[in-house]
């Protein structure tokens, strides 16, 4: 026989993520996690009081709101804290521009033209995933009124974005997906749109070619998030003290990069665009084989992106080659900031270039899929291939 705890366990599994997303509209990630846990503790203690007068989600969201208020009272010594849903975060829409890649476009400025109630309805319905009935209960309006406000708000948002020339990229309103980021908008909408158009064009010119060369069409979608500047990118990825050259990374199926408009002192608008190709290539290689070594996915990413010139690469490693300080393949697995200091990007690039020029694309594809089978890919052992590469490096001097 199933008891009340079994039923609540099902409620927990069904609504935990939804309540967590709801709280993310109001607070930072850590606070949302803490309050979500407290919400379900209180809900379990009071489950016997639920009479079904509202939906389960509405009942849970009321507990979450009260729990959140209590938390802020504790933190701020009974001072009431008012948090607007857009005070601390950007909103993005997700659009697909190739069958492999999506881009999240910042629509913060457009949403700011809407009323707070309209923003809340949009966020509850699209971001949290609330039904119209649940939204109506939360905001205290009839379902028909919620629907009317939502459609009018979307129409107004679309008109705002039309003014920014977004429709030249894609029509998206029917499949809008809004997510939150703890970054501050610093650029004007027109600047945003040029960035997205440039990223689109740069990737469109390379994505299909790279997929064809590597003989791989990914089954998963890749999302690109653009942060307004280098500082906000470092904060968002929890690397506040990162070096200035660090302007992008892959997080699961998401590329996160600093805006080309504010790339920091060591990058340019163009280098950020090239870095999107670098990161896409890395992601694609990892999609083929998650255990691909760092020298291979980093080197191939740099090679395909053309981020470093031949003269720059040669000049930066020449002394190390003369001194015989050439890293081994295992040393290039370094995942600290020392990877840049040891010229890991340059050496990884040169290994991949050497493989492509000497052994060809198919051999490279084989070593991606079987990283430990050097003899299968090249007919030589790992040690022999490295020695061949070292001899090739010596010709640079």
């Amino acid at each position: 026989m199933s008891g009340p705890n079994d039923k609540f366990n099902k409620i927990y599994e069904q609504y935990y993520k939804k309540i967590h997303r709801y709280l993310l509209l109001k607070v930072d990630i850590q606070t949302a996690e803490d309050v979500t846990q407290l919400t379900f503790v209180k809900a379990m203690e009071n489950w016997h009081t639920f009479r079904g007068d509202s939906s389960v989600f509405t009942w849970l969201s009321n507990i979450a709101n009260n729990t959140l208020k209590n938390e802020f009272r504790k933190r701020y010594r009974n001072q009431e804290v008012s948090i607007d849903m857009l005070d601390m975060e950007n909103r993005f829409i997700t659009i697909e521009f190739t069958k492999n890649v999506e881009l999240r476009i910042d629509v913060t400025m457009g949403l700011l033209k809407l009323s707070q109630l309209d923003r809340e309805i949009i966020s509850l319905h699209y971001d949290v995933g609330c039904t119209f009935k649940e939204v109506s209960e939360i905001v205290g309006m009839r379902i028909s009124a919620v629907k009317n406000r939502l459609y009018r708000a979307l129409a107004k948002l679309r008109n705002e974005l039309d003014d920014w020339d977004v429709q030249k990229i894609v029509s998206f309103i029917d499949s809008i997906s809004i997510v939150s980021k703890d970054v501050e908008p610093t650029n004007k909408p027109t600047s945003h749109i040029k960035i997205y158009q440039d990223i689109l064009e740069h990737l469109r010119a390379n994505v299909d070619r790279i997929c064809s060369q590597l003989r791989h069409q990914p089954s998963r979608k890749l999302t690109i998030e653009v942060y307004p500047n280098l500082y906000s990118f470092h904060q968002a990825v929890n690397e506040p003290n990162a070096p200035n050259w660090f302007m992008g990374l892959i997080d699961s199926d998401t590329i996160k990069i600093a805006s080309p408009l504010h790339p920091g002192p060591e990058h340019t608008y163009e280098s950020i665009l090239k870095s999107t190709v670098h990161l896409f290539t890395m992601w694609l290689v990892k999609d083929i084989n998650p255990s691909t070594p760092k020298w291979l996915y980093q080197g191939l990413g740099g090679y395909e992106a053309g981020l470093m010139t031949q003269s720059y690469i040669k000049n930066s490693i020449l002394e190390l080659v003369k001194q015989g300080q050439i890293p081994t393949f295992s040393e290039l697995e370094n995942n600290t900031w020392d990877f840049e200091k040891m010229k890991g990007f340059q050496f990884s690039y040169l290994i991949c270039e050497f493989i492509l020029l000497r052994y060809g694309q198919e051999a490279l594809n084989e070593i991606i899929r079987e990283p430990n089978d050097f003899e299968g890919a090249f007919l030589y052992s790992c040690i022999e291939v490295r020695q061949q590469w070292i001899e090739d490096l010596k010709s640079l001097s």
Side-chain angles (χ1 to χ4, degrees):
M1 294 179 62
S2 62
N5 285 342
D6 294 327
K7 187 171 183 179
F8 188 79
N9 286 340
K10 293 179 181 178
I11 296 297
Y12 179 89
E13 292 175 2
Q14 183 176 354
Y15 290 100
Y16 184 89
K17 290 183 179 179
K18 199 170 181 179
I19 290 296
H20 185 258
R21 290 197 300 269
Y22 172 68
L23 287 168
L24 279 174
L25 299 176
K26 302 169 178 288
V27 292
D28 61 272
I29 292 175
Q30 187 58 56
T31 302
E33 290 176 354
D34 294 342
V35 174
T36 302
Q37 291 286 351
L38 286 171
T39 295
F40 278 92
V41 169
K42 293 180 180 180
M44 183 172 65
E45 293 172 348
N46 295 280
W47 179 240
H48 64 281
T49 67
F50 178 65
R51 297 288 180 260
D53 298 329
S54 65
S55 70
V56 174
F57 176 78
T58 303
W59 183 71
L60 290 171
S61 66
N62 286 334
I63 296 175
N65 282 327
N66 290 331
T67 303
L68 184 60
K69 288 179 183 178
N70 289 335
E71 284 300 300
F72 277 114
R73 287 192 185 101
K74 290 178 185 177
R75 294 184 188 186
Y76 298 104
R77 299 181 181 179
N78 296 322
Q79 290 182 5
E80 289 293 333
V81 178
S82 176
I83 302 177
D84 185 274
M85 287 163 52
L86 282 162
D87 280 347
M88 298 188 301
E89 56 205 31
N90 280 19
R91 298 291 182 204
F92 296 76
I93 57 168
T94 301
I95 62 173
E96 180 178 342
F97 68 93
T98 78
K99 56 189 174 183
N100 303 313
V101 184
E102 295 173 340
L103 181 69
R104 289 183 181 179
I105 290 187
D106 186 348
V107 293
T108 306
M109 299 304 293
L111 286 168
L112 285 172
K113 300 291 182 69
L114 306 179
S115 70
Q116 183 175 346
L117 178 58
D118 288 343
R119 296 198 302 267
E120 183 176 11
I121 289 172
I122 287 175
S123 294
L124 287 171
H125 185 59
Y126 287 108
D127 190 13
V128 180
C130 294
T131 64
F132 284 119
K133 182 175 185 297
E134 290 169 342
V135 176
S136 71
E137 291 172 346
I138 291 171
V139 301
M141 297 172 60
R142 295 191 307 275
I143 293 177
S144 59
V146 167
K147 289 182 178 179
N148 287 336
R149 286 200 75 113
L150 176 65
Y151 297 143
R152 286 200 300 269
L154 290 178
K156 184 174 181 180
L157 179 59
R158 183 168 187 165
N159 288 336
E160 292 291 339
L161 294 173
D162 275 336
D163 292 340
W164 303 350
D165 213 19
V166 171
Q167 294 303 314
K168 288 184 180 178
I169 300 177
V170 70
S171 177
F172 59 83
I173 283 298
D174 292 334
S175 59
I176 190 170
S177 173
I178 305 177
V179 300
S180 61
K181 292 292 163 196
D182 190 13
V183 294
E184 303 218 354
T186 60
N187 303 319
K188 295 180 180 179
T190 51
S191 300
H192 284 167
I193 300 312
K194 183 175 188 313
I195 292 169
Y196 305 136
Q197 288 174 329
D198 288 346
I199 291 174
L200 289 172
E201 291 306 315
H202 203 78
L203 280 166
R204 186 178 286 119
N206 290 279
V207 163
D208 290 338
R209 172 184 60 80
I210 296 169
C211 287
S212 177
Q213 288 176 179
L214 297 184
R215 293 190 286 104
H216 183 69
Q217 289 294 327
S219 57
R220 299 173 296 147
K221 295 292 185 184
L222 173 67
T223 299
I224 300 174
E225 295 175 356
V226 182
Y227 290 83
N229 51 54
L230 188 65
Y231 172 79
S232 63
F233 164 72
H234 285 172
Q235 295 296 316
V237 299
N238 297 316
E239 293 286 358
N241 299 316
N244 289 328
W245 57 260
F246 177 58
M247 40 53 63
L249 59 68
I250 301 171
D251 182 7
S252 185
D253 291 330
T254 301
I255 286 177
K256 300 182 178 184
I257 58 170
S259 168
L261 284 181
H262 301 285
E266 296 192 24
H267 280 278
T268 64
Y269 193 100
E270 184 64 25
S271 72
I272 297 292
L273 296 183
K274 290 182 176 181
S275 292
T276 62
V277 176
H278 185 150
L279 292 165
F280 170 79
T281 305
M282 288 171 53
W283 173 81
L284 189 67
V285 171
K286 289 184 175 182
D287 190 58
I288 296 171
N289 182 4
S291 64
T292 303
K294 184 172 183 177
W295 65 263
L296 188 44
Y297 65 73
Q298 275 286 4
L300 189 58
Y303 182 85
E304 294 293 348
L307 190 57
M308 298 179 288
T309 65
Q310 287 286 344
S311 60
Y312 170 78
I313 294 172
K314 177 180 177 179
N315 292 335
S316 64
I317 67 161
L318 198 54
E319 280 304 311
L320 293 175
V321 172
K322 288 180 179 178
Q323 296 167 15
Q325 298 180 21
I326 300 171
T328 63
F329 293 150
S330 60
E331 286 172 339
L332 288 170
E333 290 302 293
N334 191 315
N335 285 316
T336 71
W337 301 125
D338 288 338
F339 185 80
E340 190 272 340
K341 294 178 182 177
M342 65 189 289
K343 310 303 178 186
F345 294 105
Q346 291 93 315
F347 281 118
S348 296
Y349 174 108
L350 289 168
I351 295 171
C352 289
E353 181 185 54
F354 167 77
I355 290 173
L356 283 167
L357 294 177
R358 181 153 182 167
Y359 292 102
Q361 184 70 51
E362 285 310 304
L364 183 78
N365 288 339
E366 288 183 34
I367 202 64
I368 289 173
R369 289 158 175 82
E370 298 290 342
N372 296 318
D373 189 11
F374 272 70
E375 292 192 358
F378 310 117
L379 302 179
Y380 292 98
S381 68
C382 176
I383 294 174
E384 290 171 324
V385 171
R386 180 172 180 270
Q387 190 57 46
Q388 292 168 2
W389 171 56
I390 290 174
E391 293 300 319
D392 188 74
L393 288 178
K394 290 178 180 178
S395 68
L396 292 175
S397 59

